Amino acid sequence: NLTNECRELGLKPDYFIAWSGALIGDSSGNILWVNPFSEEEKMEMNDLRKKIVPIYYKNLVLQYMCSSEEINYLPKSTYHEIYGDKVYISKSTNAKTSAIVRLLQHIKWKGDVVAFGDRHYDMEFLKYFDGTFIQYPITNKLQIKQKEIVEENG
């Protein structure tokens, strides 16, 4: 859970990006942007005839999930991340990097960006923003110092 991880690290983000970039919200819980699967895309996913489970936010399908054993073909309009034996399937337009850029444009941000990530799927935006890759538990002295700097500066 993103909220719990931020709390555990002592971070209080102004904004968050969830479901591989399909949803952007603020710290008050307001949803700024959501990019669900369209009806046509949902039909394409249903045609795979695999055990694919939709993941909903309200009544919108933001991702699909299936077992890593059950997927052997994904439409070109999708992107996937594998965690354990589960595959999370998203729209290819929902990349985390493009979601961050969209958020920065929305809030008209002109300053620096501090980016943290904890999975290899985060490497694209970490490279783009010269971010920090965090491995748990945090034992690296540099990462502990970076965490302290973030906490001091809000």
Side-chain angles (χ1 to χ4, degrees), residues 48 50 66-74:
L48 292 177
K50 301 286 181 184
C66 68
S67 167
S68 58
E69 298 170 358
E70 297 170 346
I71 196 75
N72 59 11
Y73 170 77
L74 290 175

Side-chain angles (χ1 to χ4, degrees), residues 72-141:
N72 59 11
Y73 170 77
L74 290 175
K76 290 183 180 181
S77 61
T78 64
Y79 165 80
H80 70 278
E81 295 182 1
I82 301 172
Y83 296 92
D85 68 339
K86 302 288 186 214
V87 177
Y88 294 88
I89 306 162
S90 302
K91 294 175 61 155
S92 61
T93 57
N94 286 343
K96 295 172 187 175
T97 304
S98 59
I100 295 169
V101 170
R102 182 179 176 97
L103 171 62
L104 296 175
Q105 291 170 341
H106 174 77
I107 63 174
K108 297 178 176 68
W109 187 255
K110 301 288 186 207
D112 292 335
V113 173
V114 178
F116 292 89
D118 66 349
R119 301 269 193 250
H120 66 278
Y121 299 113
D122 300 335
M123 295 310 285
E124 179 186 350
F125 76 80
L126 292 175
K127 287 178 183 176
Y128 188 86
F129 291 107
D130 196 23
T132 302
F133 182 70
I134 298 176
Q135 292 180 309
Y136 294 98
I138 299 176
T139 57
N140 177 300
K141 290 180 182 180

Side-chain angles (χ1 to χ4, degrees), residues 8-40:
E8 184 179 307
L9 291 171
L11 300 174
K12 297 175 185 169
D14 295 323
Y15 301 94
F16 62 89
I17 295 172
W19 286 295
S20 298
L23 184 139
I24 301 172
D26 66 18
S27 59
S28 300
N30 300 313
I31 302 306
L32 304 177
W33 181 64
V34 63
N35 189 21
F37 279 85
S38 68
E39 291 302 318
E40 182 178 318

